Amino acid sequence: MLKIALSGCNGRMGRVITDIVSGREGMEIVAGFDINTAKNGAFPVFADPFEFQGDCDVIIDFSNASSTEHLLDYCEKHHIPVVICTTGHSAEQLAKIREASTKIPVFRSGNMSIGINLMTELLRKSAAVLGDKYDVEIIEKHHNQKLDAPSGTALMLADAVADALPYDAEYVYDRHERREKRPAHEIGISAIRGGTIVGEHSVLFCGRDEIIEIKHTALSREVFAVGAVDAAAFMAGCTQPGIYDMNDVIASRGK
């Protein structure tokens, strides 16, 4: 039986993940970590991971970026693989994640959807072919409760494009103070927040007299929860420290 601890268990995504795990054979959530310690499942909830005295095989983190470093301290002490689904980390927090990955297996992805991760491959191929003849713009839309902007997914998509472009791209998030024509070597990233939008990401390659658009729309949070649980199952079998992502999960299915 795969034993999972869930950080952020009482949040929106935490509740969806709880439902997904309860419907799968061979796995269970043995503990939850959350500042809200209300018990909404068949497992105990702790405000601090260090209060948990039981055993687990892997931790899924869908909490808040401010909680990541403390959770990593717990994972390092107990040598537990962790799946970090939380976004909006600062440079210092990202450095802590990289440091932890030298000691334990760490999974991190800006988006847990398999569709989004396949989209990154399409973007790399498109950018390599289209090169500097097309302007790149990214538009992301999320619900009005999302804290970080732009989304971690938008930055992940921008990185995929930038990796394949023949120039060093500048990420531009705000043009309202600019009174100039659009420079050629930039990637524009725009964020929209409203209503109950789960998640929508569009990448536009804008050329002379044509636009190529690659788009992904999430219709429910379940697509992210399924990806997180799949990643947890994969990470539970990882013994080597390092940074892992959804491409590793996808590759493992072909073996």
Side-chain angles (χ1 to χ4, degrees):
M1 180 70 71
L2 177 65
K3 297 180 179 180
I4 300 171
L6 178 57
S7 180
C9 61
N10 285 330
R12 292 186 185 89
M13 285 306 305
R15 292 192 292 270
V16 178
I17 288 174
T18 299
D19 290 340
I20 295 294
V21 173
S22 67
R24 289 200 184 185
E25 294 184 0
M27 62 175 59
E28 64 176 342
I29 298 176
V30 296
F33 308 141
D34 204 294
I35 56 173
N36 172 13
T37 56
K39 184 178 178 181
N40 294 312
F43 51 85
V45 180
F46 304 93
D48 188 328
F50 284 90
E51 296 175 0
F52 174 52
Q53 299 300 315
D55 296 323
C56 67
D57 301 307
V58 62
I59 294 176
I60 299 176
D61 175 34
F62 245 124
S63 57
N64 186 283
S66 62
S67 303
T68 300
E69 293 184 64
H70 189 61
L71 181 65
L72 287 172
D73 289 338
Y74 175 83
C75 293
E76 289 180 28
K77 179 178 179 179
H78 296 279
H79 304 286
I80 302 172
V82 59
V83 177
I84 299 177
C85 310
T86 305
T87 60
H89 294 102
S90 66
E92 292 77 11
Q93 291 165 336
L94 291 174
K96 173 64 177 179
I97 292 172
R98 289 191 294 270
E99 179 187 350
S101 71
T102 66
K103 305 170 187 175
I104 59 172
V106 176
F107 181 103
R108 180 176 178 270
S109 176
N111 190 292
M112 301 306 297
S113 160
I114 289 179
I116 280 287
N117 284 273
L118 291 174
M119 182 179 174
T120 62
E121 294 305 311
L122 293 175
L123 292 175
R124 288 190 182 95
K125 292 180 180 179
S126 300
V129 172
L130 301 176
D132 58 1
K133 299 297 191 295
Y134 288 71
D135 298 325
V136 182
E137 292 287 320
I138 297 174
I139 303 170
E140 59 100 339
K141 304 175 185 178
H142 283 89
H143 53 87
N144 57 21
Q145 300 300 301
K146 186 170 178 61
L147 299 180
D148 55 317
S151 67
T153 301
L155 294 174
M156 183 175 82
L157 298 178
D159 289 345
V161 172
D163 286 345
L165 289 173
Y167 55 83
D168 293 330
E170 175 192 5
Y171 294 1
V172 176
Y173 308 103
D174 187 357
R175 292 196 178 93
H176 84 278
E177 293 183 351
R178 293 193 174 197
R179 298 288 295 174
E180 62 182 17
K181 294 181 179 180
R182 184 191 194 278
H185 294 170
E186 73 176 38
I187 296 177
I189 305 176
S190 302
I192 294 172
R193 296 288 176 268
T196 58
I197 302 171
V198 175
E200 183 177 304
H201 294 83
S202 299
V203 181
L204 287 74
F205 293 88
C206 306
R208 183 178 178 85
D209 298 328
E210 71 173 354
I211 298 173
I212 301 167
E213 181 176 2
I214 301 176
K215 179 179 178 181
H216 178 274
T217 302
L219 301 179
S220 79
R221 291 185 175 87
E222 187 168 319
V223 296
F224 310 123
V226 168
V229 174
D230 288 346
F234 169 78
M235 290 297 288
C238 292
T239 58
Q240 293 298 318
I243 288 282
Y244 298 82
D245 60 26
M246 192 58 76
N247 290 324
D248 295 301
V249 177
I250 295 171
S252 70
R253 294 180 175 181
K255 294 181 179 179

